[in-house]
Amino acid sequence: PTLRFSFPSCDRVPPPVLPFDDVSFAYPSQHEGDANPVLYENLNLGVDCDTRVALVGPNGCGKSTLLRLMSGELSPTKGTVSRHQHLVMGQYHQHSVDVLDMELSPLAFMKREFPPSVVKRTEEVSRSYLDTFGFTTRQQQSPIKLLSDGQRSPLVFAMLCMRPVNLLLLDEPTNHLDVDAVDGLARAINAYEGGVVLVSHDFRLIDKVAREIW
């Protein structure tokens, strides 16, 4: 398998962890007097550390918007989204690779993002860690800009796994991943102790990890 990683152990926060109370949402209109359609109306739902939900539907129906409401990136037009005070969320989305410094190698980038003052790791441990995400010795030392999209995505997961989180919000995490990598991601999700909300068109992954489909 090209991915053999695992998410770190986390504290399980007792419910309610992320309740929606009569939540409605519409994006602001671009022109005065215009009204954008309401994407969500009177949502009452809850997400906790046992949640394993896949959000499915056509493009543009609001799947990513719902994740952004969960994360706090967006605020409801009406209603409230509450978050447990001990909730720590980890996110993967299509723009996650934008945080990567293309001039640095994966090894140098991880050292910069998680310096020895934050994470005490020897060079050997750091190399071994990146190896579990499919990076060969050569790739670990090559500029990120020389890696393919499929090789950059696991680096985002490597960052995500550097700290424990109670809830994973995964928006199209299989983009650019090959079949073996998708299987490795599925194994990691199934072994994870926290909650998962997944947006995906990959029914191979959904079939392996989801307990509910919304």
Side-chain angles (χ1 to χ4, degrees), residues 13-148:
V13 179
V17 174
L18 190 65
F20 279 48
D21 185 20
D22 284 331
V23 168
S24 297
F25 181 80
Y27 283 101
S29 60
Q30 298 296 316
H31 305 286
E32 190 174 348
D34 291 347
N36 273 3
V38 175
L39 273 175
Y40 292 108
E41 192 166 16
N42 302 328
L43 279 188
N44 289 284
L45 57 88
V47 171
D48 57 38
C49 289
D50 290 318
T51 296
R52 293 297 167 98
V53 165
L55 306 178
V56 300
N59 290 333
C61 72
K63 301 184 299 295
S64 296
T65 297
L66 187 58
L67 287 192
R68 293 169 73 188
L69 286 166
M70 290 179 180
S71 70
E73 195 177 339
L74 291 175
S75 297
T77 309
K78 291 193 303 182
T80 58
V81 178
S82 305
R83 294 170 189 85
H84 194 285
Q85 60 178 342
H86 297 304
L87 174 62
V88 182
M89 285 183 274
Q91 287 183 267
Y92 181 100
H93 51 75
Q94 60 181 339
H95 300 298
S96 293
V97 294
D98 294 345
V99 305
L100 304 178
D101 188 328
M102 296 297 166
E103 300 303 320
L104 293 179
S105 68
L107 194 59
F109 176 74
M110 290 296 287
K111 282 183 178 178
R112 190 191 74 182
E113 294 298 302
F114 305 97
S117 59
V118 177
V119 179
K120 290 181 171 58
R121 281 187 168 177
T122 64
E123 180 94 358
E124 185 177 355
V125 170
S126 295
R127 290 178 184 276
S128 177
Y129 179 71
L130 286 174
D131 180 62
T132 67
F133 291 89
F135 293 99
T136 64
T137 300
R138 182 177 180 179
Q139 290 168 344
Q140 290 180 22
Q141 300 179 49
S142 300
I144 295 172
K145 65 183 178 183
L146 298 182
L147 301 177
S148 68

Side-chain angles (χ1 to χ4, degrees), residues 188-203:
I189 292 174
N190 284 330
Y192 173 59
E193 299 165 348
V196 177
V197 181
L198 166 72
V199 170
S200 182
H201 293 285
D202 190 327
F203 277 87

